[in-house]
Amino acid sequence: MLAILATVFAALAALLHVYIFVMESVQWTQPRIWRRFGVADQAAAETTKPMAYNQGFYNLFLAIGAVIGIVLFVAGSADAGLRAAGLALVLFSLGSMVAAALVLLTTGMKYLRPALIQGTLPLIGFVLVLFA
């Protein structure tokens, strides 16, 4: 049961990071998106578009790592090696998501809410995977 809950939270964290990827790498110059990220105006959104594009892919790669880890973890129920590889990949991906949220928080308390949004699901998933 704990393993199922752990994989659910890991999957939710991955989905959230895919959504962040879409916002940063695909939709960045849409006013509702750049406003959500605190960008001042359309010109600033255009200027920061390459940075956001790059940053979005970091989020996507973490999500892909988590998903591959989940698949290996679940598929490895009969194979200790696969299960260990999946466990390591999930923990690395979720840990990186949590670390990125902490780095975001170091940029100022005005980023507390985004850091909590970005880091809560992976933190819960990380702890649950440790005990699964």
Side-chain angles (χ1 to χ4, degrees), residues 3 7 68-87:
T7 57
I68 292 171
I70 291 167
V71 169
L72 293 175
F73 183 73
V74 171
S77 60
D79 181 336
L82 271 182
R83 188 169 175 89
L87 180 66

Side-chain angles (χ1 to χ4, degrees), residues 37-121:
F37 283 88
V39 175
D41 55 34
Q42 188 69 43
E46 293 295 337
T47 300
T48 58
K49 184 178 177 179
M51 179 275 311
Y53 180 79
N54 185 308
Q55 186 172 296
F57 272 91
Y58 281 92
N59 286 294
L60 179 63
F61 298 148
L62 290 174
I64 291 170
V67 169
I68 292 171
I70 291 167
V71 169
L72 293 175
F73 183 73
V74 171
S77 60
D79 181 336
L82 271 182
R83 188 169 175 89
L87 180 66
L89 193 50
V90 168
L91 288 173
F92 175 79
S93 298
L94 296 178
S96 294
M97 291 174 189
V98 171
L102 292 173
V103 169
L104 179 60
L105 190 55
T106 66
T107 60
M109 285 308 290
K110 73 177 187 175
Y111 294 104
L112 176 61
R113 184 173 183 271
L116 288 172
I117 290 169
Q118 179 180 326
T120 301
L121 288 172

Side-chain angles (χ1 to χ4, degrees), residues 6 8-17 94 97-98 116-127:
V8 166
F9 273 93
L12 288 172
L15 283 173
L16 173 64
H17 281 73
L94 296 178
M97 291 174 189
V98 171
L116 288 172
I117 290 169
Q118 179 180 326
T120 301
L121 288 172
L123 177 60
I124 293 169
F126 187 93
V127 171

